[in-house]
Amino acid sequence: MAPKKSYSLETELVFSKSADQYNASVPPLYQSATFKQDSLSNMGEYDYTRSGNPTRTYLQNHLAKIMKAKTTFAVSSGMGCLDVITRLLKPGDEVIAGDDLYGGTNRLLTYLHNKGDIIAQHFDTTNTELIKSKINSKTRMIFLESPTNPLIKVVDVKSIANAAHEINPNVIVVFDNTMMSPIFMTPLDLGVDIQYESATKYLNGHHDIMAGVIATRSDSLAEQVYNVINSTGCGLSPFDCWLLSRGLRTLAIRVERQQQNCIKIAEFLKNIGFKVRYPGLKDHPQFELHNSMCKGYGAVLSFETGSIKLSERIVENTEIFGIAVSFGCVNSLISMPCKMSHASIDAKTREERDFPEDLIRLCIGIENVDDLIDDLTKALLRSGAVRVNERDELFNVIGVQPKL
Ligand SMILES: Cc1ncc(COP(=O)(O)O)c(C=O)c1O
Ligand SMILES: N[C@@H](CCSC[C@H](N)C(=O)O)C(=O)O
C-alpha cells in the first residue's frame, strides 16, 4: 500500500515537527515583548510581539494545516476577528448579513451601519435565492454563519459563495465557523474567502482564554489582514497562543464526545415532546443540506418551552449545566439567548426575526451523558415542564410544537 501523502486531521492536531533548538516536544513559550537585533542593519525574524512572536507563528502555522488555509492569524477574540475583517471595508460599502448572526456580530455591524461607515442589510440566509437577488456591484462583503447561533438555521454556503463571486468578483464572502469548528466543516473548501472562528469556544475548549482565528487562502487578503492586526495590536498574546496550542491538541476527541452527548440529549428532549433545533436530528428542515457541507453536527442545541417563565425555571434548576454564555467548552452550559448571549439584539429586532424569547440553549460538554440527562430531567420536573405518567414515562405538560 502506498504511504498516505497527508495525515488525517486528528493526527495533524497532535503532531508537530519541532524546530526548537533543544528539540522541545511542546512548542516553547516566548513570553517576550521585544527581540534584540543582531545589528542595526539586521533586524532578524522578530522585533516586537505586536508584529510577530514565535509562539504565535507556531500556532498560526499549526492552525493553517488544520483549517486547510494558506494563512491564519490569531487575535484577541472572535469579535476581534470581525473588527479586523470589517476594517477592510471602505466608507459606503454595502454588506449583506444573516438575520440570525451571533448577537455580538449583529452589534458591531449595526454600530458601523449607524455610524454611516457601511450599509449593512440583514436577510434570512436560508433563502439562497433571496440572498442572490440582493448581491450587486456595490456589495463588498457577505457575512454568513451555519448553523446559526442559536436558531440553528443552515445556510447553503457553496451556492451563495459561487453566486456572489459570479455576480461581483470583488465580493468577500466571510464565514463564521465557530459552531462547527474545523473538525466538522472546512468552509474554505466551499468557496468562502475569509473564515473566522471564536477560538474562545471549541478550538481552545476550556474557557480559560479569549481568542479568535482568521483564515484565508488569498495572499492579498492575508496581507491586508496582517496590516490591520499589526497596526491595531490585536494579535493574540504569547501565553494565550501557548494555551490555545495546548487546547487544540484535544480538539477532535473533545468535539466528538460533545457531539455524541448532544445527539443523545437532542433525542431525549425530542422524545418528551419538545421541538428541538439541532442539525443532527433527521427532522431538521435542512438536515440534508447540512450533511452535504459538514462531517458532524456539533454540540449546541436549542429548544422552546412555550413560556418564558417556564424556561427561566428550567435554566435555574440545573446543577451540572452551568448558567453561562459561550459554548464549546468541556463542561455543559445552559442559557436563555434573549437574556444573555443575544441580549444586544433589541427586543423589536428579535421579534421581527422570529427569535423566540423562551428559547433555551444547551451547550454540551464531555461529562457522562446519563448524568447530564438526569440533571435535565430533574430541572424539567422541578420546573413543572414535564411530569411522570403511570408507566413511569416523562411527558411534556405544555406540549408545545413551535415551528422551526
Ligand atoms: C458564533 C460566534 N461568533 C463569534 C463570537 C465572538 O467570539 P468572542 O466571544 O471570542 O469574541 C461568538 C461568541 O462570543 C459566537 O457565538
Ligand atoms: N456579554 C457578552 C455576551 C457574550 S455571548 C458569548 C457567546 N458568543 C455565546 O453565544 O454565548 C456580550 O455582550 O458580548
Side-chain angles (χ1 to χ4, degrees):
M1 195 172 71
K4 283 202 321 189
K5 286 202 187 75
S6 60
Y7 297 118
S8 56
L9 192 51
E10 293 89 339
T11 307
E12 288 291 6
L13 282 164
V14 291
F15 174 76
S16 64
K17 281 188 187 149
S18 175
D20 172 57
Q21 57 182 324
Y22 301 114
N23 226 6
S25 54
V26 170
L29 168 59
Y30 285 87
Q31 187 69 18
S32 180
T34 51
F35 296 84
K36 288 184 192 166
Q37 307 198 173
D38 280 348
S39 67
L40 263 181
S41 55
N42 185 5
M43 189 185 93
E45 203 175 338
Y46 300 98
D47 68 335
Y48 195 52
T49 283
R50 174 160 43 69
S51 307
N53 175 287
T55 311
R56 198 187 302 142
T57 304
Y58 166 82
L59 169 69
Q60 293 179 162
N61 291 342
H62 194 50
L63 282 164
K65 277 196 290 183
I66 290 158
M67 294 170 131
K68 295 205 199 156
K70 190 158 178 204
T71 320
T72 72
F73 298 97
V75 298
S76 54
S77 71
M79 283 299 96
C81 296
L82 188 68
D83 179 42
V84 168
I85 295 163
T86 51
R87 283 173 196 259
L88 307 189
L89 293 164
K90 293 197 194 66
D93 275 349
E94 290 190 11
V95 155
I96 293 175
D99 66 355
D100 183 34
L101 297 177
Y102 160 58
T105 308
N106 184 78
R107 176 171 55 197
L108 182 54
L109 294 178
T110 305
Y111 169 76
L112 296 172
H113 175 91
N114 290 344
K115 221 155 71 75
D117 291 357
I118 61 169
I119 300 158
Q121 289 180 289
H122 297 263
F123 302 106
D124 177 2
T125 43
T126 62
N127 187 341
T128 309
E129 291 314 309
L130 173 73
I131 301 301
K132 285 186 193 171
S133 74
K134 299 291 175 188
I135 305 167
N136 60 55
S137 59
K138 290 199 199 127
T139 312
R140 187 69 182 127
M141 273 189 195
I142 301 181
F143 290 94
L144 303 172
E145 251 181 62
S146 185
T148 58
N149 166 22
L151 298 184
I152 320 290
K153 291 185 188 176
V154 174
V155 177
D156 187 344
V157 183
K158 199 171 181 175
S159 298
I160 294 178
N162 284 347
H165 293 136
E166 226 166 80
I167 299 166
N168 178 354
N170 293 323
V171 172
I172 301 171
V173 180
V174 180
F175 187 82
D176 178 341
N177 194 40
T178 308
M179 287 280 275
M180 284 293 99
S181 90
I183 297 296
F184 295 136
M185 190 168 187
T186 311
L188 294 171
D189 277 350
L190 300 175
V192 316
D193 302 293
I194 300 180
Q195 165 187 349
Y196 73 96
E197 295 191 21
S198 165
T200 316
K201 314 287 188 316
Y202 292 106
L203 293 180
N204 181 58
H206 295 78
H207 277 173
D208 47 14
I209 60 162
M210 299 291 303
V213 177
I214 302 172
T216 184
R217 290 178 183 168
S218 152
D219 289 337
S220 149
L221 288 173
E223 198 182 313
Q224 296 173 62
V225 165
Y226 173 73
N227 185 37
V228 176
I229 293 170
N230 188 27
S231 306
T232 59
C234 63
L236 192 62
S237 75
F239 186 51
D240 287 350
C241 288
W242 188 84
L243 281 175
L244 180 51
S245 300
R246 184 168 72 163
L248 268 176
R249 278 176 229 138
T250 53
L251 177 68
I253 196 158
R254 281 188 280 109
V255 298
E256 278 155 22
R257 168 64 173 255
Q258 286 174 275
Q259 166 174 272
Q260 199 184 324
N261 285 354
C262 196
I263 291 171
K264 289 196 179 144
I265 290 169
E267 276 159 4
F268 161 76
L269 290 170
K270 196 182 138 188
N271 287 344
I272 50 175
F274 290 105
K275 187 86 184 206
V276 182
R277 298 168 190 253
Y278 183 60
L281 290 176
K282 288 199 179 68
D283 60 1
H284 186 286
Q286 295 146 310
F287 179 70
E288 300 299 335
L289 174 62
H290 180 88
N291 279 335
S292 72
M293 299 188 294
C294 300
K295 285 187 283 188
Y297 308 107
V300 177
L301 66 79
S302 56
F303 67 103
E304 286 151 78
T305 65
S307 150
I308 298 173
K309 287 270 163 263
L310 184 59
S311 295
E312 286 169 357
R313 286 204 298 276
I314 295 170
V315 169
E316 288 182 342
N317 271 293
T318 54
E319 185 173 89
I320 304 174
F321 282 86
I323 308 175
V325 292
S326 201
F327 57 90
C329 186
V330 287
N331 53 292
S332 295
L333 303 174
I334 188 164
S335 65
M336 284 182 72
C338 286
K339 292 180 185 293
M340 298 168 69
S341 54
H342 291 66
S344 60
I345 304 177
D346 63 79
K348 186 169 161 281
T349 308
R350 289 200 303 260
E351 195 183 344
E352 280 162 13
R353 295 181 187 173
D354 288 331
F355 200 121
E357 298 286 312
D358 61 320
L359 195 74
I360 296 179
R361 190 182 72 181
L362 297 182
C363 306
I364 309 300
I366 62 170
E367 302 93 337
N368 178 295
V369 73
D370 294 333
D371 288 344
L372 292 176
I373 291 178
D374 191 49
D375 196 35
L376 283 175
T377 305
K378 283 184 195 145
L380 292 170
L381 284 167
R382 280 190 206 128
S383 66
V386 299
R387 286 203 205 123
V388 182
N389 68 15
E390 55 291 347
R391 291 188 300 280
D392 213 24
E393 296 159 340
L394 294 175
F395 71 98
N396 186 338
V397 176
I398 310 290
V400 232
Q401 294 300 319
K403 292 196 293 283
L404 257 187

